[in-house]
Amino acid sequence: MDVSVFMADGLEECEALLVVDLLRRSEISVQTVAVHGPGWKGENDDRKQIFSSHHIQITCDTSIEDYEPGEEKALVIPGGLPGVEYLKANEKLGHILRDFQKNKVEKEEGFLAAICAGPTVLADLGLLEGKAVTVYPSRKEDLGQNVHYINEDVVLAPGVITGKALGLAIPFALVLISTLKGKETADRVAQEIYYTSWSQAQKKSSTA
């Protein structure tokens, strides 16, 4: 598995599913991981199901309870409320992200990615210290004092890729593709979906 996307109840579904769609078009293997809010008491297959902030039911590939770290090159955190708060509250996810930072990111063998309010999940764990990132503008104060906010659409920094908001989910996904499989693959996918703004979007992205 190349990428895991952690999807909580109350997520912004397009920020997650656009990423999954475009990565799979690039022949990048992706699994979706369901994360539930505090007090959830589902069982069996129910644990794979979540409901987005717009009440859309999504069945994920696995659940946080059943998740086991693999050979991922990236972990992705979408935004949306209250989904982001549920991600922050999940103790196992916190351990997963910290371990990935230590075992993959710090060895330059992987990266973390987050969009919209998602970067605040990483910030709360101290994983963005000293990094340049973007985030949904009204949440920039939640990044903390030692994180450098950049008002760009997508920011690629060492070990972390961040996107500003839902409207930038396509260029965010294309930057992930470019990082994982090269610019030619990202260009091909952009052309296939007639995303004619890709060249311009790259100019509005920042490498820090």
Side-chain angles (χ1 to χ4, degrees), residues 7-197:
M7 300 168 58
D9 283 315
L11 88 161
E12 171 47 69
E13 61 275 3
C14 291
E15 291 171 2
L17 295 180
L18 275 169
V19 169
V20 173
D21 180 306
L22 297 188
L23 292 179
R24 288 181 175 168
R25 287 173 187 264
S26 307
E27 299 182 352
I28 295 169
S29 58
V30 185
Q31 73 172 346
T32 53
V33 184
V35 180
H36 298 279
W40 180 80
K41 296 181 179 179
E43 56 185 34
N44 300 326
D45 288 343
D46 288 345
R47 72 174 66 185
K48 297 181 183 179
Q49 295 179 357
I50 60 169
F51 286 86
S52 76
S53 58
H54 300 100
H55 311 294
I56 296 171
Q57 183 174 336
I58 300 168
T59 301
C60 294
D61 299 312
T62 189
S63 67
I64 191 72
E65 292 84 3
D66 296 325
Y67 172 85
E68 294 291 340
E71 297 301 317
E72 291 104 326
K73 300 179 181 72
L75 303 182
V76 181
I77 303 295
L81 294 173
V84 162
E85 301 307 321
Y86 293 161
L87 294 175
K88 291 179 181 180
N90 191 281
E91 186 175 348
K92 182 175 180 179
L93 178 59
H95 289 304
I96 291 166
L97 293 170
R98 286 193 181 100
D99 287 346
F100 189 83
Q101 173 78 12
K102 178 180 178 181
N103 297 324
K104 293 291 186 72
V105 176
E106 292 179 3
K107 296 178 181 178
E108 299 183 356
E109 296 176 358
F111 63 89
L112 296 167
I115 186 169
C116 198
T120 65
V121 176
L122 304 179
D124 276 17
L125 295 169
L127 302 180
L128 298 181
E129 293 288 318
K131 302 281 189 180
V133 303
T134 192
V135 70
Y136 193 77
S138 67
R139 302 300 295 268
K140 64 183 180 181
E141 301 301 325
D142 296 335
L143 294 173
Q145 295 182 347
N146 296 322
V147 180
H148 181 45
Y149 169 73
I150 297 181
N151 186 23
E152 297 283 358
D153 293 349
V154 181
V155 176
L156 173 59
V160 62
I161 297 172
T162 49
K164 185 185 290 184
L166 167 58
L168 289 315
I170 290 178
F172 173 72
L174 290 172
V175 171
L176 300 187
I177 293 166
S178 183
T179 303
L180 289 165
K181 292 203 72 172
K183 185 177 182 299
E184 287 186 3
T185 303
D187 290 347
R188 173 182 61 78
V189 172
Q191 184 176 21
E192 287 176 354
I193 66 171
Y194 286 86
Y195 183 63
T196 57
S197 301

